[in-house]
Amino acid sequence: MSKGRLEAFSDGVLAIIITIMVLELRTPESGDLSALVPLAPKFLSYVLSFIYIGIYWNNHHHLWQAVKGVNGAILWANMHLLFWLSLIPFVTGWMGEHFSTTPVAFYGLVLGLAGLAYYILVRALIAHHGRDSLIAVAIGKDEKGLRSLYIYSAAIQLAFVSHCTATGLYIVVAIMWLIPDRRIENKLSK
Amino acid sequence: MSKGRLEAFSDGVLAIIITIMVLELRTPESGDLSALVPLAPKFLSYVLSFIYIGIYWNNHHHLWQAVKGVNGAILWANMHLLFWLSLIPFVTGWMGEHFSTTPVAFYGLVLGLAGLAYYILVRALIAHHGRDSLIAVAIGKDEKGLRSLYIYSAAIQLAFVSHCTATGLYIVVAIMWLIPDRRIENKLSK
Amino acid sequence: MSKGRLEAFSDGVLAIIITIMVLELRTPESGDLSALVPLAPKFLSYVLSFIYIGIYWNNHHHLWQAVKGVNGAILWANMHLLFWLSLIPFVTGWMGEHFSTTPVAFYGLVLGLAGLAYYILVRALIAHHGRDSLIAVAIGKDEKGLRSLYIYSAAIQLAFVSHCTATGLYIVVAIMWLIPDRRIENKLSK
Amino acid sequence: MSKGRLEAFSDGVLAIIITIMVLELRTPESGDLSALVPLAPKFLSYVLSFIYIGIYWNNHHHLWQAVKGVNGAILWANMHLLFWLSLIPFVTGWMGEHFSTTPVAFYGLVLGLAGLAYYILVRALIAHHGRDSLIAVAIGKDEKGLRSLYIYSAAIQLAFVSHCTATGLYIVVAIMWLIPDRRIENKLSK
């Protein structure tokens, strides 16, 4: 089974997710600069979520370069990932409108479940390609993926103490991933 | 006539349908956990519809691998399928907001008409490829497709007695399709 | 210059236009069947516009099969076509909500301007490919395109007398185009 | 690393941005011609932004034809460009609803930041392909890009004096770019 359409469909869904988030930034009611002030937290949530979707697209793009074929389990693992990512506009809007414990914790929960879904997708890909495949060697133990999951888990709990600290941890994970993952590129270029 | 653009257009429409449904999950009015409670039925409708669109994309993807070419009838049979699928966000939102007889019956009606449109598309493909073609042999009598149509029909009628039972049947059909259809894969790999 | 990305971009825009129109069908306020009654004209407008966008995609797909290359004029002629098509959701929503003279006339105006933009696109393609090219021979004098423009023009004027007659003419043009255009297919298969 | 998916993702995002702007043109409350009057400034903003997104797609398309490969820096430079472009629907809606100093200045600010992001993307591409590459020679000093940035900068300041003059300058830059950039085409055809 070829991988081309799965890439095209995922690109389409990610492109829509990243773009419809901007619909949350509704037209201000006046033309004054002060009308932008209530939009500031929404805008910051949007920036963070834009970067997260960007990271997922980027990683998906990298990962898929080492993929040789797909099966039913991989198709559904990918759909499962897209499901959690599709909820990011909702939690982004909620956290942007009400920057308090529950929305901040849910933002982390959705990020964490998306991270877990990505981890499952990687496992399904390795199971299909074999333990000696390029993809298995390139990913290794996926320490970065696991570490992200631990940080999300900690951040969700911290949200009940300080939602600023929790948000800070979400930013830390984003920065951790912005530093590009050269594992697949290195293995491919050998 | 090549099949590439028809795949790309269908992927685009399905990607948008699956993603705009999330716009129905509007930002809660407060940051409390209790603000999520009224969203629960909407969320469950969303999950069910997400799985259905996922199944359609998956089946479309499988089906199209055995397609060698398209003609005008196939183009319009595909457009007809996309039409009914495009109404899924509407019935999802309605069933999620008002979980009662009429919306539940209409949800089944749209699913049923989409199922029928898929059945017509398969027939148009077989007519174009010939009775001895890979696609005709792989699909056979399309018992699974027909069985789904019978269940939708029963569920729509049951909705007037118990909308929970009707919804249960929609879930049954989804599970029936989540078990992957290996017919085309088997035929292709021979 | 290659034509692949122009096709992909056009497919994306058409897929979004055809799908966002469904957002006009807002969730009814109750779960009763009677709640659907006010949606009926909107639904019928949606069906008509869905078919129109389907026809444009179909014709665009056919036309592009005979295209060998693109230049700047063709890129902008295509963008101009997409502009008028992007206004179809707006006039669809307006005509669906207020089925009266002005909205019906504007629906025809947007259809007519889209038809004109398609005509200009075809001319730009023929100018680029030469008068003896496959595309020029296949399209010929584009009588069907011109006839549609005349009918739109008549329908817009008739809208001031009877908006039902005008809408009837829009349906006539749609049916005229649903009968597939075999010109390019015939020329290609020779 | 191949450039195909980056093109597909960018096309998807640009197609969505150009299309969701039309959602700002809400259904008028009556069916009279006068109901369109308050929509006029929104419509004009939409036209201007449609042309700008068209120009960006067009330039992106041209630029990418000379691209041989991408790296992490280019991926993020492209994502950065898409971020600023994704804010165009927001500023378009704002300027269309409140045609006054601040919205007009912000419109220019977003255009300017998108222009800067494009400039950075071009620099990242030249850094990756080398100073003697086709892309470096074709782009040269990117005088047109720099000139646009100067005009945006002047327009933002002028918005505080006359928002009509500022808007006039945005139109001037658009016309400047509508005249097609033959640099890459010329170099490619040699």
Side-chain angles (χ1 to χ4, degrees):
Chain A
M1 210 196 294
S2 77
K3 64 176 189 175
R5 271 192 79 182
L6 196 146
E7 286 182 329
F9 183 72
S10 306
D11 279 354
V13 171
L14 291 174
I16 299 157
I17 291 173
I18 216 170
T19 320
I20 61 170
M21 282 192 297
V22 87
L23 295 175
E24 277 299 316
L25 297 174
R26 296 190 204 288
T27 310
E29 289 185 13
S30 86
D32 299 332
L33 193 59
S34 61
L36 286 186
V37 175
L39 284 178
K42 283 197 181 184
F43 180 73
L44 294 175
S45 308
Y46 176 59
V47 174
L48 185 58
S49 296
F50 193 98
I51 291 170
Y52 261 109
I53 302 287
I55 289 167
Y56 270 103
W57 180 78
N58 213 332
N59 287 346
H60 201 271
H61 175 84
H62 272 75
L63 184 66
W64 236 246
Q65 286 185 299
V67 168
K68 306 282 176 212
V70 292
N71 61 9
I74 293 167
L75 284 180
W76 282 104
N78 191 64
M79 204 63 90
H80 178 231
L81 170 63
L82 295 178
F83 175 76
W84 293 113
L85 294 177
S86 81
L87 292 177
I88 286 187
F90 171 73
V91 288
T92 302
W94 200 22
M95 188 169 82
E97 192 126 3
H98 303 284
F99 188 62
S100 61
T101 302
T102 315
V104 170
F106 265 85
Y107 190 85
L109 188 65
V110 168
L111 283 184
L113 289 166
L116 188 63
Y118 194 81
Y119 187 83
I120 293 170
L121 173 61
V122 167
R123 292 301 120 190
L125 283 167
I126 291 176
H128 186 60
H129 287 75
R131 299 208 155 267
D132 304 323
S133 63
L134 173 66
I135 204 165
V137 176
I139 294 288
K141 292 184 181 165
D142 197 9
E143 284 168 15
K144 207 168 168 185
L146 288 172
R147 212 177 306 139
S148 307
L149 294 181
Y150 294 139
I151 303 179
Y152 292 137
S153 168
I156 294 166
Q157 290 160 61
L158 273 169
F160 293 89
V161 185
S162 153
H163 40 266
C164 286
T165 315
T167 311
L169 285 179
Y170 304 151
I171 296 168
V172 165
V173 177
I175 292 167
M176 205 169 94
W177 282 101
L178 277 175
I179 302 158
D181 190 347
R182 300 207 185 278
R183 287 176 298 181
I184 292 173
E185 274 176 80
N186 289 344
K187 297 289 169 184
L188 277 171
S189 60
K190 270 179 196 171
Chain B
M1 210 195 295
S2 77
K3 64 178 189 174
R5 271 191 81 182
L6 196 146
E7 286 183 328
F9 183 72
S10 307
D11 279 354
V13 171
L14 291 174
I16 299 157
I17 292 172
I18 215 170
T19 320
I20 61 170
M21 282 192 296
V22 88
L23 295 176
E24 277 298 316
L25 297 174
R26 296 190 205 287
T27 310
E29 289 186 12
S30 87
D32 298 333
L33 193 58
S34 62
L36 287 185
V37 175
L39 283 178
K42 283 197 181 183
F43 179 73
L44 294 175
S45 308
Y46 176 59
V47 173
L48 185 59
S49 296
F50 193 98
I51 291 170
Y52 262 108
I53 302 287
I55 289 167
Y56 270 103
W57 180 79
N58 213 332
N59 288 346
H60 200 271
H61 175 84
H62 272 76
L63 185 66
W64 237 246
Q65 286 184 300
V67 168
K68 305 282 175 211
V70 292
N71 61 11
I74 293 167
L75 285 180
W76 281 105
N78 190 64
M79 204 64 90
H80 178 230
L81 171 63
L82 295 178
F83 175 76
W84 293 114
L85 293 177
S86 82
L87 291 177
I88 287 188
F90 171 72
V91 288
T92 302
W94 200 23
M95 187 171 82
E97 194 126 2
H98 303 283
F99 187 62
S100 61
T101 302
T102 315
V104 170
F106 264 86
Y107 189 85
L109 188 65
V110 169
L111 284 183
L113 290 166
L116 188 64
Y118 194 81
Y119 186 83
I120 293 169
L121 173 61
V122 167
R123 292 300 119 190
L125 284 166
I126 292 176
H128 186 61
H129 287 74
R131 298 207 156 268
D132 303 323
S133 64
L134 174 67
I135 204 164
V137 177
I139 293 286
K141 291 184 184 165
D142 198 7
E143 285 167 16
K144 208 170 170 184
L146 288 172
R147 214 178 304 139
S148 307
L149 294 181
Y150 295 139
I151 303 179
Y152 292 136
S153 169
I156 293 166
Q157 291 161 60
L158 272 169
F160 292 89
V161 185
S162 154
H163 39 268
C164 286
T165 315
T167 311
L169 285 178
Y170 304 151
I171 296 169
V172 165
V173 176
I175 291 167
M176 206 170 93
W177 281 102
L178 277 174
I179 302 159
D181 190 346
R182 299 208 187 279
R183 289 176 297 182
I184 291 173
E185 275 177 79
N186 289 345
K187 298 287 170 186
L188 277 172
S189 60
K190 270 179 198 171
Chain C
M1 211 196 292
S2 77
K3 65 178 188 172
R5 271 191 83 181
L6 194 146
E7 286 183 328
F9 183 72
S10 306
D11 280 354
V13 170
L14 290 174
I16 299 157
I17 291 172
I18 214 169
T19 319
I20 62 169
M21 281 191 297
V22 88
L23 295 175
E24 277 298 316
L25 297 174
R26 296 190 204 289
T27 310
E29 288 187 13
S30 87
D32 298 333
L33 193 58
S34 61
L36 287 186
V37 175
L39 283 178
K42 283 197 182 182
F43 179 73
L44 294 175
S45 309
Y46 175 59
V47 174
L48 185 59
S49 297
F50 193 98
I51 291 170
Y52 262 110
I53 302 287
I55 289 167
Y56 271 103
W57 180 79
N58 213 332
N59 288 345
H60 200 272
H61 175 84
H62 272 75
L63 184 66
W64 237 246
Q65 286 184 300
V67 168
K68 306 282 175 212
V70 291
N71 62 11
I74 294 168
L75 285 180
W76 281 104
N78 191 64
M79 204 64 91
H80 178 232
L81 171 63
L82 295 178
F83 176 76
W84 292 114
L85 294 177
S86 82
L87 291 178
I88 286 188
F90 171 73
V91 286
T92 303
W94 200 24
M95 187 171 81
E97 193 126 3
H98 304 282
F99 187 63
S100 61
T101 302
T102 316
V104 170
F106 265 84
Y107 189 86
L109 188 65
V110 168
L111 284 184
L113 290 166
L116 188 64
Y118 193 81
Y119 186 83
I120 294 169
L121 173 61
V122 167
R123 292 300 120 189
L125 283 166
I126 292 176
H128 186 60
H129 287 74
R131 298 208 157 265
D132 303 323
S133 64
L134 174 66
I135 205 163
V137 177
I139 293 287
K141 290 183 181 165
D142 199 8
E143 285 166 16
K144 209 170 168 183
L146 287 171
R147 212 177 306 139
S148 307
L149 294 180
Y150 295 138
I151 303 179
Y152 292 137
S153 169
I156 293 166
Q157 291 161 58
L158 273 169
F160 292 90
V161 184
S162 154
H163 40 268
C164 286
T165 315
T167 312
L169 285 179
Y170 304 152
I171 296 169
V172 165
V173 177
I175 291 167
M176 205 170 94
W177 282 101
L178 277 174
I179 301 159
D181 190 346
R182 299 207 187 282
R183 288 176 297 184
I184 291 173
E185 275 177 79
N186 289 345
K187 297 287 172 189
L188 277 171
S189 59
K190 270 178 199 172
Chain D
M1 210 195 292
S2 77
K3 65 178 187 173
R5 271 192 80 182
L6 196 145
E7 286 182 327
F9 183 71
S10 306
D11 279 353
V13 171
L14 291 174
I16 299 158
I17 291 172
I18 215 169
T19 321
I20 62 171
M21 280 192 300
V22 88
L23 295 176
E24 277 299 318
L25 297 175
R26 296 189 204 288
T27 310
E29 289 186 12
S30 87
D32 299 333
L33 193 60
S34 61
L36 286 186
V37 175
L39 284 178
K42 282 196 182 184
F43 180 72
L44 294 175
S45 308
Y46 176 59
V47 174
L48 184 59
S49 296
F50 193 97
I51 292 169
Y52 261 109
I53 302 288
I55 289 167
Y56 270 103
W57 180 79
N58 213 333
N59 288 345
H60 200 271
H61 176 83
H62 271 75
L63 184 67
W64 236 247
Q65 286 184 300
V67 168
K68 306 282 177 212
V70 291
N71 62 9
I74 294 167
L75 285 180
W76 282 104
N78 190 64
M79 204 65 91
H80 178 231
L81 170 64
L82 295 178
F83 175 75
W84 293 113
L85 293 177
S86 82
L87 292 178
I88 285 187
F90 171 72
V91 287
T92 302
W94 200 23
M95 188 170 81
E97 193 127 3
H98 303 283
F99 188 63
S100 60
T101 302
T102 316
V104 170
F106 265 85
Y107 190 85
L109 188 65
V110 168
L111 284 183
L113 289 166
L116 188 64
Y118 194 81
Y119 186 83
I120 294 170
L121 174 61
V122 167
R123 292 300 119 191
L125 284 166
I126 292 176
H128 186 60
H129 288 75
R131 298 207 157 268
D132 303 323
S133 64
L134 173 67
I135 204 164
V137 176
I139 293 288
K141 288 184 183 166
D142 198 8
E143 284 167 17
K144 207 168 169 184
L146 287 172
R147 213 178 306 138
S148 308
L149 294 180
Y150 294 138
I151 303 179
Y152 292 138
S153 169
I156 294 167
Q157 290 160 58
L158 273 169
F160 292 89
V161 185
S162 153
H163 39 268
C164 287
T165 314
T167 312
L169 285 179
Y170 304 152
I171 296 169
V172 165
V173 176
I175 291 167
M176 203 169 96
W177 282 101
L178 277 174
I179 301 157
D181 189 347
R182 300 209 186 278
R183 286 176 298 182
I184 291 173
E185 275 177 80
N186 289 345
K187 297 289 170 186
L188 277 171
S189 60
K190 270 177 197 172

